[in-house]
PDB file of all heavy atoms in Angstrom:
ATOM      1  N   ASP A   7      83.610 108.734 103.978  1.00  0.00           N
ATOM      2  CA  ASP A   7      82.726 108.169 104.994  1.00  0.00           C
ATOM      3  C   ASP A   7      83.483 107.972 106.299  1.00  0.00           C
ATOM      4  O   ASP A   7      83.043 108.380 107.375  1.00  0.00           O
ATOM      5  CB  ASP A   7      82.175 106.836 104.471  1.00  0.00           C
ATOM      6  CG  ASP A   7      81.039 106.304 105.344  1.00  0.00           C
ATOM      7  OD1 ASP A   7      80.427 107.088 106.078  1.00  0.00           O
ATOM      8  OD2 ASP A   7      80.780 105.090 105.278  1.00  0.00           O
ATOM      9  N   MET A   9      86.344 109.399 107.217  1.00  0.00           N
ATOM     10  CA  MET A   9      86.873 110.662 107.735  1.00  0.00           C
ATOM     11  C   MET A   9      85.782 111.472 108.425  1.00  0.00           C
ATOM     12  O   MET A   9      86.007 112.063 109.482  1.00  0.00           O
ATOM     13  CB  MET A   9      87.510 111.463 106.596  1.00  0.00           C
ATOM     14  CG  MET A   9      88.786 110.818 106.048  1.00  0.00           C
ATOM     15  SD  MET A   9      89.441 111.635 104.578  1.00  0.00           S
ATOM     16  CE  MET A   9      89.982 113.187 105.310  1.00  0.00           C
ATOM     17  N   ILE A  20      79.908 110.164 119.514  1.00  0.00           N
ATOM     18  CA  ILE A  20      78.790 109.514 118.831  1.00  0.00           C
ATOM     19  C   ILE A  20      78.035 108.664 119.837  1.00  0.00           C
ATOM     20  O   ILE A  20      78.625 107.821 120.498  1.00  0.00           O
ATOM     21  CB  ILE A  20      79.291 108.625 117.675  1.00  0.00           C
ATOM     22  CG1 ILE A  20      79.994 109.487 116.620  1.00  0.00           C
ATOM     23  CG2 ILE A  20      78.155 107.842 117.041  1.00  0.00           C
ATOM     24  CD1 ILE A  20      80.587 108.675 115.489  1.00  0.00           C
ATOM     25  N   ASP A  26      67.879  95.629 118.301  1.00  0.00           N
ATOM     26  CA  ASP A  26      67.966  94.279 117.751  1.00  0.00           C
ATOM     27  C   ASP A  26      67.960  94.353 116.231  1.00  0.00           C
ATOM     28  O   ASP A  26      67.163  95.094 115.644  1.00  0.00           O
ATOM     29  CB  ASP A  26      66.771  93.440 118.209  1.00  0.00           C
ATOM     30  CG  ASP A  26      66.731  93.263 119.722  1.00  0.00           C
ATOM     31  OD1 ASP A  26      67.787  92.945 120.299  1.00  0.00           O
ATOM     32  OD2 ASP A  26      65.656  93.450 120.316  1.00  0.00           O
ATOM     33  N   MET A  29      72.059  90.181 111.762  1.00  0.00           N
ATOM     34  CA  MET A  29      73.388  90.355 111.190  1.00  0.00           C
ATOM     35  C   MET A  29      73.464  89.828 109.754  1.00  0.00           C
ATOM     36  O   MET A  29      74.132  90.418 108.894  1.00  0.00           O
ATOM     37  CB  MET A  29      74.423  89.644 112.062  1.00  0.00           C
ATOM     38  CG  MET A  29      75.836  89.643 111.492  1.00  0.00           C
ATOM     39  SD  MET A  29      76.546  91.312 111.401  1.00  0.00           S
ATOM     40  CE  MET A  29      76.988  91.542 113.125  1.00  0.00           C
ATOM     41  N   LEU A  43      83.070  95.279  93.908  1.00  0.00           N
ATOM     42  CA  LEU A  43      84.471  95.650  94.119  1.00  0.00           C
ATOM     43  C   LEU A  43      85.369  94.422  93.971  1.00  0.00           C
ATOM     44  O   LEU A  43      86.435  94.485  93.355  1.00  0.00           O
ATOM     45  CB  LEU A  43      84.634  96.267  95.506  1.00  0.00           C
ATOM     46  CG  LEU A  43      86.047  96.690  95.918  1.00  0.00           C
ATOM     47  CD1 LEU A  43      86.569  97.774  94.990  1.00  0.00           C
ATOM     48  CD2 LEU A  43      86.048  97.183  97.360  1.00  0.00           C
ATOM     49  N   GLU A  48      88.979  90.595  90.486  1.00  0.00           N
ATOM     50  CA  GLU A  48      89.000  89.145  90.245  1.00  0.00           C
ATOM     51  C   GLU A  48      89.301  88.373  91.531  1.00  0.00           C
ATOM     52  O   GLU A  48      90.044  87.392  91.553  1.00  0.00           O
ATOM     53  CB  GLU A  48      90.006  88.786  89.144  1.00  0.00           C
ATOM     54  CG  GLU A  48      89.688  89.445  87.804  1.00  0.00           C
ATOM     55  CD  GLU A  48      90.688  89.086  86.721  1.00  0.00           C
ATOM     56  OE1 GLU A  48      91.559  88.229  86.950  1.00  0.00           O
ATOM     57  OE2 GLU A  48      90.597  89.670  85.631  1.00  0.00           O
ATOM     58  N   LEU A  55      77.176  82.726 106.062  1.00  0.00           N
ATOM     59  CA  LEU A  55      76.102  83.092 106.979  1.00  0.00           C
ATOM     60  C   LEU A  55      74.773  82.752 106.320  1.00  0.00           C
ATOM     61  O   LEU A  55      74.317  83.460 105.420  1.00  0.00           O
ATOM     62  CB  LEU A  55      76.149  84.579 107.324  1.00  0.00           C
ATOM     63  CG  LEU A  55      77.182  85.038 108.357  1.00  0.00           C
ATOM     64  CD1 LEU A  55      78.572  84.929 107.788  1.00  0.00           C
ATOM     65  CD2 LEU A  55      76.914  86.481 108.772  1.00  0.00           C
ATOM     66  N   ASN A  56      74.165  81.662 106.744  1.00  0.00           N
ATOM     67  CA  ASN A  56      72.924  81.207 106.140  1.00  0.00           C
ATOM     68  C   ASN A  56      71.736  81.290 107.089  1.00  0.00           C
ATOM     69  O   ASN A  56      70.600  81.397 106.651  1.00  0.00           O
ATOM     70  CB  ASN A  56      73.079  79.766 105.650  1.00  0.00           C
ATOM     71  CG  ASN A  56      74.178  79.634 104.607  1.00  0.00           C
ATOM     72  OD1 ASN A  56      74.246  80.435 103.678  1.00  0.00           O
ATOM     73  ND2 ASN A  56      75.041  78.639 104.765  1.00  0.00           N
ATOM     74  N   ILE A  91      83.632  85.335 104.571  1.00  0.00           N
ATOM     75  CA  ILE A  91      83.038  85.893 105.784  1.00  0.00           C
ATOM     76  C   ILE A  91      82.278  84.772 106.486  1.00  0.00           C
ATOM     77  O   ILE A  91      81.450  84.094 105.870  1.00  0.00           O
ATOM     78  CB  ILE A  91      82.072  87.036 105.455  1.00  0.00           C
ATOM     79  CG1 ILE A  91      82.776  88.086 104.590  1.00  0.00           C
ATOM     80  CG2 ILE A  91      81.535  87.670 106.730  1.00  0.00           C
ATOM     81  CD1 ILE A  91      81.847  88.809 103.658  1.00  0.00           C
ATOM     82  N   THR A 105      83.925  86.769 111.419  1.00  0.00           N
ATOM     83  CA  THR A 105      85.309  86.728 110.956  1.00  0.00           C
ATOM     84  C   THR A 105      85.371  87.000 109.456  1.00  0.00           C
ATOM     85  O   THR A 105      84.586  86.442 108.686  1.00  0.00           O
ATOM     86  CB  THR A 105      85.957  85.360 111.246  1.00  0.00           C
ATOM     87  OG1 THR A 105      85.965  85.145 112.659  1.00  0.00           O
ATOM     88  CG2 THR A 105      87.385  85.300 110.721  1.00  0.00           C
ATOM     89  N   VAL A 106      86.296  87.865 109.063  1.00  0.00           N
ATOM     90  CA  VAL A 106      86.577  88.135 107.652  1.00  0.00           C
ATOM     91  C   VAL A 106      87.988  87.637 107.379  1.00  0.00           C
ATOM     92  O   VAL A 106      88.950  88.156 107.949  1.00  0.00           O
ATOM     93  CB  VAL A 106      86.465  89.642 107.328  1.00  0.00           C
ATOM     94  CG1 VAL A 106      86.804  89.901 105.857  1.00  0.00           C
ATOM     95  CG2 VAL A 106      85.067  90.164 107.660  1.00  0.00           C
ATOM     96  N   LEU A 140      92.307 105.363 108.784  1.00  0.00           N
ATOM     97  CA  LEU A 140      91.492 105.513 109.990  1.00  0.00           C
ATOM     98  C   LEU A 140      90.524 104.361 110.204  1.00  0.00           C
ATOM     99  O   LEU A 140      89.950 104.218 111.276  1.00  0.00           O
ATOM    100  CB  LEU A 140      90.682 106.815 109.905  1.00  0.00           C
ATOM    101  CG  LEU A 140      91.481 108.115 109.878  1.00  0.00           C
ATOM    102  CD1 LEU A 140      90.537 109.295 109.653  1.00  0.00           C
ATOM    103  CD2 LEU A 140      92.256 108.298 111.161  1.00  0.00           C
ATOM    104  N   ARG A 151      82.465 100.292 121.796  1.00  0.00           N
ATOM    105  CA  ARG A 151      81.300 101.041 122.246  1.00  0.00           C
ATOM    106  C   ARG A 151      80.062 100.152 122.301  1.00  0.00           C
ATOM    107  O   ARG A 151      79.113 100.437 123.027  1.00  0.00           O
ATOM    108  CB  ARG A 151      81.028 102.234 121.323  1.00  0.00           C
ATOM    109  CG  ARG A 151      81.992 103.400 121.495  1.00  0.00           C
ATOM    110  CD  ARG A 151      81.774 104.427 120.398  1.00  0.00           C
ATOM    111  NE  ARG A 151      82.722 105.521 120.512  1.00  0.00           N
ATOM    112  CZ  ARG A 151      82.398 106.739 120.955  1.00  0.00           C
ATOM    113  NH1 ARG A 151      81.162 107.002 121.336  1.00  0.00           N
ATOM    114  NH2 ARG A 151      83.308 107.690 121.012  1.00  0.00           N
ATOM    115  N   TRP A 157      89.889  91.654 117.050  1.00  0.00           N
ATOM    116  CA  TRP A 157      91.280  91.191 117.033  1.00  0.00           C
ATOM    117  C   TRP A 157      91.596  90.658 115.634  1.00  0.00           C
ATOM    118  O   TRP A 157      90.694  90.538 114.782  1.00  0.00           O
ATOM    119  CB  TRP A 157      91.504  90.123 118.094  1.00  0.00           C
ATOM    120  CG  TRP A 157      90.797  88.829 117.845  1.00  0.00           C
ATOM    121  CD1 TRP A 157      91.295  87.692 117.261  1.00  0.00           C
ATOM    122  CD2 TRP A 157      89.432  88.520 118.182  1.00  0.00           C
ATOM    123  NE1 TRP A 157      90.351  86.708 117.207  1.00  0.00           N
ATOM    124  CE2 TRP A 157      89.193  87.182 117.763  1.00  0.00           C
ATOM    125  CE3 TRP A 157      88.392  89.235 118.788  1.00  0.00           C
ATOM    126  CZ2 TRP A 157      87.961  86.569 117.929  1.00  0.00           C
ATOM    127  CZ3 TRP A 157      87.164  88.629 118.962  1.00  0.00           C
ATOM    128  CH2 TRP A 157      86.953  87.302 118.534  1.00  0.00           C
ATOM    129  N   LYS A 161      99.619  86.439 108.835  1.00  0.00           N
ATOM    130  CA  LYS A 161     100.919  85.877 108.512  1.00  0.00           C
ATOM    131  C   LYS A 161     101.363  86.455 107.179  1.00  0.00           C
ATOM    132  O   LYS A 161     100.685  86.277 106.165  1.00  0.00           O
ATOM    133  CB  LYS A 161     100.842  84.346 108.416  1.00  0.00           C
ATOM    134  CG  LYS A 161     102.186  83.684 108.179  1.00  0.00           C
ATOM    135  CD  LYS A 161     102.042  82.161 108.172  1.00  0.00           C
ATOM    136  CE  LYS A 161     103.397  81.499 107.934  1.00  0.00           C
ATOM    137  NZ  LYS A 161     103.275  80.004 107.916  1.00  0.00           N
ATOM    138  N   PHE A 168      90.321  88.912 110.419  1.00  0.00           N
ATOM    139  CA  PHE A 168      89.878  89.882 111.416  1.00  0.00           C
ATOM    140  C   PHE A 168      88.548  89.402 111.973  1.00  0.00           C
ATOM    141  O   PHE A 168      87.636  89.034 111.228  1.00  0.00           O
ATOM    142  CB  PHE A 168      89.708  91.266 110.790  1.00  0.00           C
ATOM    143  CG  PHE A 168      91.002  92.008 110.610  1.00  0.00           C
ATOM    144  CD1 PHE A 168      91.847  91.711 109.550  1.00  0.00           C
ATOM    145  CD2 PHE A 168      91.381  93.007 111.503  1.00  0.00           C
ATOM    146  CE1 PHE A 168      93.045  92.383 109.381  1.00  0.00           C
ATOM    147  CE2 PHE A 168      92.581  93.693 111.342  1.00  0.00           C
ATOM    148  CZ  PHE A 168      93.414  93.380 110.273  1.00  0.00           C
ATOM    149  N   PRO A 182      65.041  82.150 118.277  1.00  0.00           N
ATOM    150  CA  PRO A 182      64.198  81.011 118.638  1.00  0.00           C
ATOM    151  C   PRO A 182      64.949  79.692 118.557  1.00  0.00           C
ATOM    152  O   PRO A 182      65.752  79.467 117.670  1.00  0.00           O
ATOM    153  CB  PRO A 182      63.081  81.067 117.593  1.00  0.00           C
ATOM    154  CG  PRO A 182      63.689  81.762 116.423  1.00  0.00           C
ATOM    155  CD  PRO A 182      64.643  82.763 117.015  1.00  0.00           C
ATOM    156  N   TYR A 185      59.779  76.191 117.328  1.00  0.00           N
ATOM    157  CA  TYR A 185      58.640  76.934 116.841  1.00  0.00           C
ATOM    158  C   TYR A 185      57.366  76.207 117.225  1.00  0.00           C
ATOM    159  O   TYR A 185      57.371  75.042 117.596  1.00  0.00           O
ATOM    160  CB  TYR A 185      58.714  77.147 115.329  1.00  0.00           C
ATOM    161  CG  TYR A 185      58.838  75.881 114.515  1.00  0.00           C
ATOM    162  CD1 TYR A 185      57.697  75.206 114.072  1.00  0.00           C
ATOM    163  CD2 TYR A 185      60.091  75.363 114.190  1.00  0.00           C
ATOM    164  CE1 TYR A 185      57.800  74.045 113.328  1.00  0.00           C
ATOM    165  CE2 TYR A 185      60.195  74.198 113.446  1.00  0.00           C
ATOM    166  CZ  TYR A 185      59.042  73.554 113.009  1.00  0.00           C
ATOM    167  OH  TYR A 185      59.151  72.401 112.270  1.00  0.00           O
TER     168      TYR A 185
END
Side-chain angles (χ1 to χ4, degrees):
D7 191 21
M9 292 173 69
I20 297 177
D26 298 313
M29 174 65 78
L43 179 62
E48 300 180 7
L55 282 70
N56 300 314
I91 306 150
T105 299
V106 178
L140 296 174
R151 285 171 182 254
W157 68 96
K161 184 177 180 180
F168 281 79
Y185 56 90

